[in-house]
Amino acid sequence: MPPSTFYLLPARAWEFLAGALVAVTLPAGRRRCPSGSVAALTAWAGLAAILVPMIVYREGMIFPGTAALPPVLGAAAVLIAGTAARPPLAIRLLSTRPMVWLGLVSYGFYLWHWPLLVFQNQLLVDPLGIRPTPDAPVLERILAVLVALFLAWASYRYVELPIRRRHLLARRRTLVAAMAMAVCAMIGYGVAGEAGWLRRFPAAEDRYLVQETAPTNRCGHWLNGLIGGDFCRIADGRPEGGGVLLMGDSHAGMVARVLADVVRRHGLSLDVTRLKCPAIGFGGQLPCAPGDRVLADEIRRRDIRLVVLVGCWDRIVEGTEPGGVDAALGFGAPAGG
């Protein structure tokens, strides 16, 4: 399932509409859920529909989809049970001050927790991105969750409430200007990610630009390099043709597209790795490169038949490159290098 299905609105709109339907069907003070056993059964069934998926759902399940039905319908059931004149025990528990506070900061917590957990893994557990599924120790993950909870409270207290109460961005003109700046920033980011607005050229030139920018869109900008351990295919060949692997520093990034055209004409595929990283290091493993075992496994798995090393060799030999000959011999970099 493409990530857009999970993150973007079209596939998730029905979840919002479920809550809106409850709000429209049972407006406050007009219609209520019957008190007593009906409300209790509705509330506990709704809570079960929310909590059970948290325990039984596993990685690899298709979500959203039918798997999203239980938690969404469960949340709707809890909302409906909450309209009863005499709320059942489940609703009274959810109405306690700690639970209400958690609900107020829950969306901010949702926004904060994931980047904290991801950066924790990338920066502390596996900074080179070599291990396939790095995980921080449980205590460190709990600490990250607590930090996310604090940030959620802070953003609710100092950002959300001031905006809602018109203490921040109180003037309509300021609010409109801030929203316009945010929209312009998002549009600019999208255009930059596509290497410009492609449809600004006639059809023939546009087809060429699509072909030229495809490797950038699939692998990230060349000059930014790839995280150590990443392999990206920029040219597809015939299934039986085998492949070519390009490795090297920023010079490798400069020749990648030309090499892609060459190997494509011969029915070969082209993968890249270690871009913006010296192709050869002396005196130990380079911090920007994948481990040799990872590299060997990928070469076998991808049926790589030729490895092309590109680099500024004089810098490596003269010792001005990290991991160069002089560095390995302990001479250090030349003066002014």
Side-chain angles (χ1 to χ4, degrees):
M1 178 177 292
S4 58
T5 305
F6 183 89
Y7 289 106
L8 299 186
L9 182 61
R12 311 300 293 266
W14 67 274
E15 302 176 29
F16 294 99
L17 291 175
L21 183 62
V22 173
V24 172
T25 306
L26 300 173
R30 297 185 182 179
R31 291 186 177 181
R32 292 179 178 272
C33 177
S35 300
S37 59
V38 174
L41 180 61
T42 303
W44 288 113
L47 283 177
I50 296 172
L51 297 176
V52 170
M54 295 173 60
I55 300 173
V56 302
Y57 282 9
R58 293 291 182 265
E59 185 178 359
M61 294 184 63
I62 297 178
F63 194 96
T66 55
L69 279 172
V72 171
L73 296 180
V78 170
L79 292 175
I80 292 173
T83 64
R86 295 195 306 274
L89 176 62
I91 300 302
R92 293 199 300 271
L93 292 175
L94 292 175
S95 301
T96 57
R97 293 189 64 179
M99 296 300 293
V100 171
W101 178 86
L102 187 61
L104 290 174
V105 302
S106 60
Y107 190 69
F109 177 76
Y110 161 74
L111 296 176
W112 280 110
H113 87 285
W114 188 243
L116 284 176
L117 292 175
V118 170
F119 287 138
Q120 182 185 57
N121 280 339
Q122 292 296 323
L123 300 179
L124 302 179
V125 180
D126 189 31
L128 300 183
I130 295 175
R131 290 164 51 189
T133 55
D135 282 316
V138 175
L139 290 179
E140 292 185 9
R141 281 184 283 172
I142 292 176
L143 178 61
V145 169
L146 293 177
V147 171
L149 196 60
F150 169 77
L151 292 174
W153 167 81
S155 58
Y156 172 76
R157 172 65 177 81
Y158 296 106
V159 178
E160 182 178 342
L161 282 183
I163 292 177
R164 288 171 55 189
R165 296 173 179 174
R166 305 302 296 270
H167 297 157
L168 183 66
L169 301 178
R171 298 177 59 184
R172 185 180 298 273
R173 183 178 300 176
T174 306
L175 179 61
V176 171
M179 295 176 63
M181 291 172 62
V183 170
C184 290
M186 289 188 291
I187 293 175
Y189 181 81
V191 172
E194 294 292 331
W197 202 276
L198 296 179
R199 300 296 180 265
R200 68 188 185 276
F201 294 108
E205 290 86 346
D206 195 49
R207 285 194 297 270
Y208 174 78
L209 286 173
V210 169
Q211 179 181 1
E212 283 294 294
T213 58
T216 299
N217 293 338
R218 292 167 62 181
C219 304
H221 198 287
W222 297 123
L223 297 184
N224 289 335
L226 295 172
I227 297 175
D230 282 356
F231 290 77
C232 184
R233 175 152 297 183
I234 64 171
D236 296 316
R238 294 191 297 268
E240 71 281 2
V244 177
L245 177 65
L246 173 64
M247 299 168 50
D249 54 19
S250 58
H251 294 70
M254 299 300 293
V255 304
R257 286 177 178 156
V258 176
L259 185 59
D261 291 335
V262 174
V263 301
R264 194 181 290 115
R265 287 198 297 268
H266 289 82
L268 302 173
S269 62
L270 177 63
D271 293 278
V272 295
T273 189
R274 294 191 185 184
L275 290 186
K276 207 176 181 183
C277 182
I280 297 177
F282 298 88
Q285 176 73 31
L286 292 168
C288 56
D292 293 336
R293 180 171 298 179
V294 174
L295 183 60
D297 290 344
E298 285 295 321
I299 288 176
R300 286 191 294 268
R301 188 176 72 84
R302 296 169 181 262
D303 191 21
I304 300 297
R305 304 181 184 182
L306 175 66
V307 177
V308 179
L309 304 179
V310 179
C312 187
W313 304 113
D314 56 341
R315 292 188 61 188
I316 295 177
V317 173
E318 292 171 2
T320 59
E321 193 74 48
V325 174
D326 283 355
L329 297 177
F331 297 131

